[in-house]
Amino acid sequence: MAIGPVLWLGPLLLVSLWGSSAPASLLRRLGEHIQRFQGSSGLGLSLDPGGVALPKEGWLEQPLDPFNASNRRSFLQRYWVNDQHWTSQDGPVFLHLGGEGSLGPGSVMRGHPATLAPVWGALVIGLEHRFYGLSIPAEGLDVAQLRFLSSRHALADVVSARLALSRLFNVSFSSPWLCFGGSYAGSLAAWARLKFPHLIFASVASSAPVRAILDFSEYNDVVSRSLMNTAIGGSLECRAAASAAFAEVERRLRAGRSAQAALRAELGACGSLGRAADQAELLGALQALVGGAVQYDGQAGAPLSVRQLCGLLLGDRDNCSSPAPYCGLRRAVQVVTHSLGQKCLSFSRAETVAQLKVTETQVAGVGDRQWLYQTCTEFGYYVTCEVPGCPFSQLPALPSQLELCEQVFGFSAASIAQAVSQTNSYYGGQTPGATQVLFVNGDVDPWHVLSITQPLGPSESALLIPNASHCLDMAPERPSDSPSLRLARQNIFQQLQTWLGPAKKSQVRGGV
């Protein structure tokens, strides 16, 4: 359980939940790009001016199978500690939960836990999720190992980590533990309070999609509405242009090999476009590009906002001889791939499957295989565009996304549907019945439709922030933040006052 200081003030966890095909991979990399930008910019750090107190990295030995005492296998789980504001052993502990990606020291240096810690003299701890980042069991990522990867296993880790860290840091038995998390980790924060109310005093769950769903067509419903939202730079014309651009891409895919070859060059499709499955990968990646502009709208480091995307789709063709919306989509691809440092927007289906089958941890990427496994065995979250009125392509359709689970892991479509249903039965979906949980969402974020946006009772609170994107409340504060976002952060502070009592200092550091 050794701990030591580190120098890299890494970013908060902000990756996409969308499954792990090529389109989903693009959204994940957009989220990671935003993380890195916000981490390297130093935004929102609340460090003492007299000397930087660096976070400490530590490791917990955790049972690989917490539900079977006879299984003695274990793994090392990484955590981060910021104790610079901890004033007494009976002060609160703010536990920032990691989700489907690496969790860096920024998890204890910015965001709600770090910003609010000086106010209540809290100890801040960040706990990386099992099987992600550096908390991957040594035996690798084959299916026999991945059966120990689930939200239930992650919650068991929270329980054992709370007990072990209480002993390690001599935390008082009376100290309240509060969980914080965003996206999937936001769901974990809510579920930790739901399942272990005797251990977790309260939780703040940002952009938490607590309802599992197989066919997530509602994602693109929100994207479509957001492209028409004038408050963030959208318009009816923008949505129409997006639809026209996708129609042009599909027309060219049907036009034969020469047109397909031109598409490959213009839209960054690596691999043949002759097969329907490969075409679906490209169309899905283009949907993810547009969806990403909405999902991360207005966030520091995002390559494209809705306003910028609409500007491209409705702009002049310049030297482009194709219809203007297609030219704008082509320029949007160039902006995003350049920002991410990627040559390719999409790959062939065969290459996607081959990459997802890799089980060695050193070449397993950023968690794509692990997250696909969790969507196949717990959550679904497969984004589709098959309902009337969806402005994009109907590809990739749901069956092809479910087939990925079969190709990579051998799971049937029926088993995935059953797993989604069991997840909602176990946690309660959008009526979990958890007390002392604050759900925070933005109405621009496509994931808010799977979360809780209205209070369910006096102790089940919810905030819905107008014109805010995914986990925006967790992002470092900026002068350009809207009044509604500032008010939401103030409401979060007031909710903690209700739970914890009056603040120990008169003002919240960082302007919350």
Side-chain angles (χ1 to χ4, degrees):
M1 249 191 276
I3 58 175
V6 292
L7 293 177
W8 171 66
L9 299 181
L12 295 173
L13 180 67
L14 185 71
V15 295
S16 166
L17 294 166
W18 203 347
S20 293
S21 60
S25 178
L26 174 67
L27 267 181
R28 288 178 63 84
R29 275 141 191 84
L30 278 173
E32 290 156 2
H33 173 77
I34 294 169
Q35 287 184 54
R36 286 192 297 270
F37 180 90
Q38 294 181 0
S40 63
S41 68
L43 291 171
L45 293 180
S46 53
L47 301 175
D48 288 333
V52 174
L54 295 173
K56 304 177 184 68
E57 181 184 38
W59 301 86
L60 291 173
E61 185 175 356
Q62 296 274 40
L64 184 63
D65 185 357
F67 308 117
N68 180 7
S70 63
N71 187 338
R72 299 300 182 89
R73 296 165 64 194
S74 63
F75 75 101
L76 293 177
Q77 185 170 28
R78 182 168 61 164
Y79 66 90
W80 301 95
V81 177
N82 174 2
D83 60 3
Q84 64 177 313
H85 305 297
W86 196 28
T87 55
S88 68
Q89 291 174 335
D90 60 354
V93 179
F94 293 168
L95 181 61
H96 187 148
L97 299 182
E100 71 282 18
S102 177
L103 191 72
S107 62
V108 297
M109 301 303 288
R110 62 175 62 81
H112 298 318
T115 303
L116 296 167
V119 183
W120 280 279
L123 175 66
V124 184
I125 300 174
L127 185 67
E128 191 169 66
H129 196 296
R130 62 165 56 206
F131 283 87
Y132 294 100
L134 298 184
S135 300
I136 301 177
E139 292 82 356
L141 299 172
D142 61 29
V143 176
Q145 280 286 102
L146 290 178
R147 64 192 176 94
F148 302 113
L149 169 61
S150 73
S151 59
R152 300 186 198 193
H153 286 90
L155 292 178
D157 292 339
V158 171
V159 171
S160 56
R162 183 208 185 286
L163 299 175
L165 292 169
S166 291
R167 291 191 298 267
L168 181 64
F169 293 101
N170 197 24
V171 176
S172 170
F173 179 78
S174 62
S175 294
W177 286 64
L178 283 75
C179 281
F180 296 80
S183 203
Y184 163 53
S187 297
L188 290 176
W191 295 334
R193 169 62 187 170
L194 171 69
K195 296 298 183 180
F196 305 103
H198 59 298
L199 297 175
I200 303 302
F201 179 72
S203 292
V204 178
S206 299
S207 299
V210 291
R211 172 165 62 100
I213 188 170
L214 193 68
D215 185 348
F216 190 17
S217 61
E218 296 158 288
Y219 184 98
N220 278 323
D221 291 343
V222 180
V223 172
S224 179
R225 289 198 302 270
S226 297
L227 291 178
M228 297 184 287
N229 184 346
T230 55
I232 58 173
S235 64
L236 290 171
E237 294 78 11
C238 178
R239 183 194 178 282
S243 182
F246 275 82
E248 178 65 15
V249 172
E250 292 197 278
R251 185 192 71 77
R252 294 179 180 220
L253 286 171
R254 295 190 298 266
R257 291 185 177 180
S258 60
Q260 292 169 3
L263 271 180
R264 286 181 58 196
E266 292 172 356
L267 298 180
C270 293
S272 170
L273 291 176
R275 297 176 64 250
D278 300 331
Q279 295 177 9
E281 291 289 299
L282 172 61
L283 290 165
L286 291 170
Q287 282 189 46
L289 183 148
V290 176
V294 171
Q295 181 168 317
Y296 299 119
D297 179 67
Q299 303 211 15
L304 281 177
S305 65
V306 170
R307 190 178 304 278
Q308 291 167 329
L309 174 64
C310 290
L312 292 175
L313 293 173
L314 296 171
D316 297 331
R317 288 186 295 178
D318 296 329
N319 296 324
C320 179
S321 59
S322 302
Y326 174 83
C327 296
L329 185 62
R330 176 179 167 183
R331 287 195 294 270
V333 169
Q334 294 168 349
V335 169
V336 170
T337 53
H338 176 76
S339 295
L340 300 182
Q342 293 184 186
K343 175 186 175 184
C344 304
L345 182 72
S346 69
F347 299 89
S348 70
R349 174 71 168 209
E351 186 168 350
T352 296
V353 171
Q355 291 173 347
L356 289 168
K357 283 187 172 183
V358 174
T359 61
E360 291 81 8
T361 56
Q362 65 270 26
V363 291
V366 294
D368 287 344
R369 175 176 169 85
Q370 298 96 299
W371 183 243
L372 175 64
Y373 180 85
Q374 288 196 260
T375 66
C376 298
T377 57
E378 293 191 86
F379 303 123
Y381 296 149
Y382 303 115
V383 175
T384 63
C385 189
E386 299 177 81
V387 298
C390 185
F392 312 119
S393 169
Q394 293 189 3
L395 299 176
L398 181 62
S400 73
Q401 299 192 57
L402 297 178
E403 186 184 24
L404 197 60
C405 294
E406 194 281 327
Q407 291 174 312
V408 177
F409 301 116
F411 298 138
S412 68
S415 74
I416 304 165
Q418 183 180 23
V420 168
S421 177
Q422 289 174 341
T423 296
N424 288 329
S425 295
Y426 184 71
Y427 293 119
Q430 287 173 299
T431 54
T435 60
Q436 293 193 180
V437 176
L438 174 61
F439 290 92
V440 186
N441 286 278
D443 67 2
V444 165
D445 177 20
W447 294 96
H448 84 270
V449 297
L450 300 183
S451 189
I452 294 170
T453 58
Q454 297 290 333
L456 299 178
S459 60
E460 293 182 272
S461 305
L463 296 174
L464 184 62
I465 310 171
N467 305 315
S469 56
H470 193 62
C471 297
L472 187 59
D473 59 295
M474 301 176 67
E477 184 177 350
R478 293 191 292 168
S480 59
D481 288 341
S482 69
S484 59
L485 177 57
R486 294 177 186 274
L487 177 61
R489 291 189 176 126
Q490 183 63 33
N491 288 337
I492 294 169
F493 167 62
Q494 291 170 351
Q495 181 64 74
L496 262 70
Q497 277 190 312
T498 300
W499 289 336
L500 296 174
K504 292 186 177 181
K505 294 185 181 180
S506 59
Q507 290 184 338
V508 181
R509 202 173 212 170
V512 170

